[in-house]
Amino acid sequence: MSKVREHWGSRMGFILAAAGSAIGLGNLWKFPYITWHNNGGAFVLVYLICILVVGLPIMMAEILIGRRAQKSAVPAFEEIGHKRWSWIGIVGVLAGFVILGYYSVIAGWSITTFLDCIGWSLNGYTPPPDGAFGAFVSDGSTQLGLSAIFSVATLGVVWFGISGGIEKVTKFLMPTLFLILIYFVISSFSMSGFSDAMAFLFEPNFSELPATGILEALGHAFFTLSLGMGLMITYGSYLTKDMSVTRVSAMVVIMDTVVALLACVIMFTIIYSTPGLSEQIGKSTVGMLFVTLPNLFYSGAMPGGTILGPLFYLLVAFAALTSTISLLEVMVSYFIDARGWTRAKSSLVCASGTFVNTIFCALSLGAVGLLSSFTWVSGKSGVLDHLDYLASNWMLPIGGFGIALFAGWVLDKKVSIEELGMVDSSGAPNMQYKIWRIFIRFVAPVAIAAVIIAVMLGKDFS
Ligand code: PFF
């Protein structure tokens, strides 16, 4: 008996869920620090170009593949292509397992920072002693407890399915997140560092762009838009025929980019408003979000910091949760579609399996020496670090490369024209379609190949 496939209840429901997947730690944590280390302006411009010429075309390709096949990542390639292309989906499902394992650990930090901020807002601020963050991440039971809370919350949502779980939760969380973010941006207007932050971000100076900046921007485009692992194929498979693939793709890409830029505006404004801080940021990548910012909310540099502090970490937790939900859904939908499991069984098995991975990651930040200190790839140490390297440098670019090849060279042209609905009045493919096709056939594969070659030559974009 064939089951009727679940669908999103509304176009907005899909857009918010897909944007929820895209907007996460990548926007609030990773983008600000890579922008900082790549000296702002020129890097931001290059990043925007990468989003437009590679990110958007691949987002459209993934959603159109999913919508056409009405199947999740692995079986989608079999349905509308050939079994030999299903490896792309398999890379995606594995990437979901790898990323969710460590993402839940970092996401857990937002819970502690949120609770710390509530305490500071109520009882007054006491600066954490030097080394407190190091002690926190290497405390195994705390890391396990926090990531377990996140994993259970993620399972709780995915268990209830598309319109009953994911759509309902993201429809509430995403608008709340946008409101909190707007409140922050408005607060930053009146701070002394606002104009310096804007100049740093939006005045490009190409002599300050490091040589690998372009490839780093491209690599990040995949992570931040949740591309290259079949997630958008999976979410697209729950899309009804009356929704425009192009329009929803554009909305998701715009929302993700705006949030990433706003996160930078907020963080850099706070940093530039605090004398001496920009020199101190140094290379502490983790520190910027979880160590530096909490101090600043209570330093008096930010008006209303005692309210904004807890709110900010609530926002980080929301953003991370809507991403972990999507990471789990990629795996869950595979076992439902390809193996015929029920949603309940698939959710439980996938969440438990991934939690084993999470345990290794949670204990690899100092708690267990064996898991924390080994080095296979130079510059990386421990399980979490290596998994991030594997996913960001290899899995997502390889998956993205496969998707671009499939959509541009294998998929019947008629199918993409029909799904994208890009025809002129006579029914022939219009200009937008021709541009998309050039990007997906040539620009995206060449650009991604450059990232993969750079990684082979030893570069690290994680
Ligand atoms: N896009 C998410 C972020 O920027 O934090 C991370 C992510 C979520 C990557 C879901 C891939 C994915 F399938």
Side-chain angles (χ1 to χ4, degrees), residues 15 38 148 175 195 197 255 319 346 379 447:
I15 292 172
N38 282 290
S195 54
M255 283 184 186
S346 186

Side-chain angles (χ1 to χ4, degrees), residues 263-287:
C264 285
V265 169
I266 294 162
M267 271 184 221
F268 298 156
T269 298
I270 298 179
I271 289 167
Y272 280 116
S273 302
T274 312
L277 191 75
S278 51
E279 292 79 41
Q280 267 177 47
I281 294 288
K283 62 179 180 46
S284 164
T285 52
V286 176

Side-chain angles (χ1 to χ4, degrees), residues 102 360-366 368-377 379-390:
Y102 69 83
F360 284 104
C361 293
L363 299 178
S364 75
L365 298 166
V368 175
L370 199 66
L371 300 175
S372 312
S373 54
F374 70 89
T375 294
W376 284 338
V377 177
K380 305 275 128 192
S381 74
V383 180
L384 190 151
D385 228 11
H386 281 86
L387 290 186
D388 185 27
Y389 170 85
L390 179 68

Side-chain angles (χ1 to χ4, degrees), residues 51-213:
I51 291 284
L52 199 67
V53 303
V54 180
L56 180 61
I58 293 190
M59 173 79 73
M60 290 161 68
E62 286 206 23
I63 298 180
L64 87 82
I65 292 170
R67 213 260 299 266
R68 182 65 171 205
Q70 292 285 299
K71 292 235 159 73
S72 58
V74 181
F77 290 98
E78 294 171 16
E79 179 80 15
I80 60 171
H82 189 277
K83 209 172 168 36
R84 80 174 81 95
W85 287 92
S86 58
W87 65 267
I88 304 170
I90 294 170
V91 173
V93 174
L94 290 174
F97 174 78
V98 168
I99 298 176
L100 184 56
Y102 69 83
Y103 203 92
S104 304
V105 176
I106 301 170
W109 301 345
S110 60
I111 303 177
T112 326
T113 323
F114 169 67
L115 295 176
D116 282 348
C117 283
I118 298 240
W120 291 328
S121 296
L122 294 175
N123 309 320
Y125 180 64
T126 37
D130 275 354
F133 191 73
F136 162 71
V137 295
S138 59
D139 176 349
S141 45
T142 304
Q143 293 305 317
L144 278 179
L146 291 170
S147 48
I149 295 174
F150 235 92
S151 305
V152 170
T154 306
L155 168 64
V157 177
V158 172
W159 177 282
F160 289 101
I162 297 305
S163 55
I166 299 177
E167 187 167 353
K168 265 206 187 115
V169 170
T170 47
K171 254 181 156 167
F172 163 73
L173 291 186
M174 293 311 286
T176 314
L177 187 147
F178 291 134
L179 284 181
I180 301 177
L181 207 59
I182 290 169
Y183 181 52
F184 265 97
V185 175
I186 295 173
S187 309
S188 64
F189 288 162
S190 60
M191 294 174 66
S192 60
F194 181 72
S195 54
D196 282 343
M198 294 301 277
F200 177 78
L201 274 173
F202 299 114
E203 281 175 16
N205 177 352
F206 281 91
S207 64
E208 287 182 1
L209 179 68
T212 52

Side-chain angles (χ1 to χ4, degrees), residues 18-28 30 92 95-96 99 103 220 222-227 229-232 256 319-320 322-324 326-327 330 396:
S21 167
I23 298 168
L25 297 171
N27 303 62
L28 303 174
K30 209 165 183 180
I99 298 176
Y103 203 92
H220 184 66
F222 278 92
F223 187 83
T224 189
L225 292 173
S226 306
L227 295 177
M229 51 166 288
L231 179 270
M232 292 297 166
D256 185 78
T322 51
S323 297
T324 52
S326 70
L327 286 160
V330 176
L396 299 186

